[in-house]
């Protein structure tokens, strides 16, 4: 029998949820920002409550216990042996991306980004005085893949110093294979280009038997050339308690990353540290049950979209995000069109792909089915090209 409940619908408006208050009093179901509408596992909440037994909530250094359980978790889950010196604790992915780009190369150098991609990736270059070079993912055989020839061409430019990777990929839901990751890593070694690898969705692999492969586990030389940004917050639905690690074997890159984050990145909450220790110590059935539920949600969404003549979606292998191609609907603002039918999606324009929308299906199935009903209506009512 399942231990965890994913069917209960909670009123998140009363908690000032960013996801649910965005549209005010309008009748719009929010499927945009990537947090889940499920209850946080009780063992995480218990760890937070236990920390609150101490009456002082102040600035907190990285607990030695957290570093230890993280290292044990990485070896247990991925066979990844990490030395404690390689760890840099920080708050969350977005500041980590900026610190990573800033620590490689100099002002005016370039960063290669594969689009579509999580919007903050597209802002890092300008923020950190770098040039941005985009390499579009290609849809081949109903699967989003990297264009290795294009990446090699663009990283061969001497000004290109970093490649930004999202794996599992946000928003397309790809989980890259070992061969794909190896090919990318070898290109970057040949062109002396460091890899910044966002692996925050590591725990959401939807195909039975599939698993996330940390890029840095492909060999010591690749590990030396990689900055891995990783967190438990997506997999355990605690996005509001931000805490993450950068795993950086290369001592020069690590020192530069640490320097880059100092002075503008806030300290991690002691409650976030408590939750992180609980997550990396987890031996429950949470992840298995979560993946099973999300797989069912994905299949419901996939089957529904497949029947709609003006929408399509490539298979989702990981994450809880559907990347819907709505370009056959001839409107100038696709996100606004769906909002007019009561659906709050992330706009593909922000990901570098106009005409697409991102559908977060990590919600109770009763809510998902209401959303799909509205999606079907939006499809049926859509204008047609002249």
């Amino acid at each position: 029998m399942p231990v965890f409940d994913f069917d209960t619908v909670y009123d998140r408006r009363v908690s000032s949820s960013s996801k649910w208050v965005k549209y005010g009093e309008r009748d719009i179901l929010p499927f945009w920002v990537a947090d889940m509408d499920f209850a946080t596992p009780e063992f995480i909440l218990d760890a937070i409550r236990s920390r609150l037994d101490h009456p002082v909530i102040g600035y907190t250094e990285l607990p030695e216990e957290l570093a230890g359980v993280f290292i044990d978790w990485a070896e247990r889950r991925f066979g990844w042996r990490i030395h404690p010196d390689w760890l840099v604790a920080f708050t969350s992915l977005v500041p980590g991306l900026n610190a990573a780009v800033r620590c490689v190369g100099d002002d005016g150098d370039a960063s290669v980004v594969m689009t579509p991609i999580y919007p903050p990736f597209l802002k890092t270059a300008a923020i950190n005085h770098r040039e941005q070079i985009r390499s579009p993912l290609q849809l081949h055989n109903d699967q989003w893949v990297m264009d290795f020839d294009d990446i090699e061409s663009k990283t061969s430019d001497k000004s290109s110093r970093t490649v930004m990777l999202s794996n599992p990929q946000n928003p397309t839901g790809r989980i890259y294979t070992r061969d794909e990751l190896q090919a990318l890593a070898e290109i970057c070694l040949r062109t002396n280009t460091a890899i910044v690898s966002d692996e925050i969705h590591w725990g959401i692999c939807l195909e039975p038997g599939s698993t996330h492969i940390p890029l840095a586990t492909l060999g010591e030389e690749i590990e030396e050339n990689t900055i891995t940004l990783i967190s438990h917050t997506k997999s355990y639905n605690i996005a509001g308690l931000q805490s993450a690690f950068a795993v950086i074997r290369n001592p020069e890159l690590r020192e530069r990353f640490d320097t880059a984050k100092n002075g503008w990145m806030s300290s991690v909450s002691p409650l976030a540290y408590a939750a992180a220790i609980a997550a990396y110590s987890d031996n429950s059935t949470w992840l298995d049950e979560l993946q099973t539920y999300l797989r069912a949600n994905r299949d419901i969404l996939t089957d529904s979209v497949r029947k709609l003549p003006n929408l399509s979606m490539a298979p989702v292998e990981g994450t809880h995000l559907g990347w819907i191609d709505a370009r056959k609907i001839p409107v100038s603002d696709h996100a606004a069109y769906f909002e007019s039918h009561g659906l709050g999606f992330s706009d593909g324009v922000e990901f570098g792909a106009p005409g697409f929308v991102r559908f977060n299906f990590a919600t109770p199935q009763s809510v998902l089915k209401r959303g799909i009903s509205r999606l079907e209506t939006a499809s049926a009512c859509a204008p047609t090209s002249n």
Side-chain angles (χ1 to χ4, degrees):
M1 292 292 294
V3 174
F4 299 96
D5 169 26
F6 300 102
D7 286 320
T8 297
V9 178
Y10 297 95
D11 181 0
R12 297 191 62 194
R13 294 178 186 272
V14 300
S15 65
S16 300
S17 162
S18 299
K19 182 179 183 180
W20 283 86
V21 303
K22 176 179 179 178
Y23 300 104
E25 298 303 315
R26 299 164 64 193
D27 181 21
I28 296 177
L29 292 174
F31 298 105
W32 63 289
V33 69
D35 75 355
M36 300 188 279
D37 289 326
F38 311 131
T40 298
E42 194 66 24
F43 61 86
I44 300 284
L45 298 178
D46 285 342
I48 296 168
R49 295 183 187 110
S50 178
R51 174 59 183 84
L52 288 171
D53 287 342
H54 193 290
V56 181
I57 307 295
Y59 296 123
T60 306
E61 297 297 316
L62 174 67
E64 185 176 337
E65 180 184 3
L66 175 53
V69 297
F70 176 83
I71 289 168
D72 289 346
W73 164 83
E75 183 165 10
R76 185 172 67 250
R77 189 167 190 90
F78 304 119
W80 188 9
R81 294 187 176 182
I82 297 172
H83 191 281
D85 289 348
W86 302 353
L87 299 181
V88 182
F90 64 100
T91 48
S92 64
L93 175 69
V94 174
L97 289 173
N98 284 283
V101 168
R102 188 176 302 179
C103 81
V104 181
D106 300 300
D107 289 0
D109 286 338
S111 179
V112 177
V113 180
M114 288 167 273
T115 54
I117 201 162
Y118 178 51
F121 278 76
L122 301 179
K123 300 175 182 178
T124 56
I127 292 172
N128 298 287
H129 311 291
R130 267 60 173 172
E131 178 190 355
Q132 184 176 96
I133 302 174
R134 298 189 183 188
S135 177
L137 298 175
Q138 304 296 311
L139 190 60
H140 289 309
N141 298 322
D142 211 21
Q143 187 177 62
W144 291 99
V145 297
M146 293 180 274
D147 185 337
F148 294 118
D149 289 340
D150 186 60
I151 293 169
E152 181 143 27
S153 172
K154 288 171 177 174
T155 56
S156 294
D157 186 315
K158 290 183 179 179
S159 68
S160 296
R161 299 303 306 277
T162 54
V163 165
M164 311 288 283
L165 175 70
S166 173
N167 179 41
Q169 215 278 338
N170 176 2
T172 68
R174 273 302 314 281
I175 297 178
Y176 293 120
T177 65
R178 182 177 297 275
D179 287 346
E180 288 174 295
L181 294 173
Q182 188 77 38
L184 175 67
E186 290 176 358
I187 288 170
C188 292
L189 288 175
R190 286 196 297 272
T191 60
N192 192 31
T193 309
I195 301 174
V196 179
S197 185
D198 155 32
E199 306 190 8
I200 197 170
H201 286 100
W202 60 267
I204 306 176
C205 301
L206 302 183
E207 289 302 313
S210 68
T211 186
H212 169 67
I213 301 172
L215 182 95
T217 62
L218 298 182
E220 289 186 8
E221 192 176 11
I222 294 169
E223 193 170 41
E224 284 277 346
N225 196 47
T226 302
I227 297 171
T228 303
L229 306 176
I230 197 163
S231 176
H232 56 288
T233 55
K234 295 296 185 185
S235 298
Y236 288 89
N237 196 30
I238 44 176
L241 282 177
Q242 297 179 340
S243 170
F245 277 115
V247 184
I248 312 173
R249 176 173 178 148
N250 185 307
E252 181 182 353
L253 285 180
R254 186 168 63 249
E255 182 178 358
R256 295 189 69 171
F257 181 93
D258 204 26
T259 299
K261 78 178 183 65
N262 286 338
W264 61 276
M265 194 180 295
S266 61
S267 64
V268 176
S269 160
L271 302 184
Y273 278 143
I277 292 169
Y280 290 121
S281 304
D282 174 33
N283 59 6
S284 75
T285 58
W286 163 262
L287 285 176
D288 289 337
E289 292 187 37
L290 174 67
Q291 290 169 354
T292 297
Y293 196 90
L294 290 175
R295 185 180 306 123
N297 279 9
R298 176 205 60 184
D299 293 346
I300 292 169
L301 177 62
T302 300
D303 291 344
S304 299
V305 171
R306 190 174 290 134
K307 297 172 185 175
L308 303 178
N310 47 12
L311 299 176
S312 62
M313 184 177 77
V316 180
E317 301 166 351
T319 78
H320 46 77
L321 307 167
W323 186 236
I324 297 177
D325 186 346
R327 289 176 293 179
K328 289 184 179 179
I329 297 179
V331 296
S332 60
D333 188 331
H334 287 82
Y337 176 75
F338 287 111
E339 283 182 18
S340 73
H341 289 274
L343 293 166
F345 294 147
S346 296
D347 190 345
V349 171
E350 299 173 355
F351 297 77
F356 287 78
V357 292
R358 192 185 72 173
F359 190 134
N360 172 8
F361 53 81
T363 194
Q365 284 182 11
S366 60
V367 178
L368 175 66
K369 290 176 180 178
R370 287 172 60 202
I372 288 174
S373 177
R374 296 184 182 191
L375 185 67
E376 292 168 346
T377 300
S379 172
C381 295
T384 57
S385 300
N386 294 328

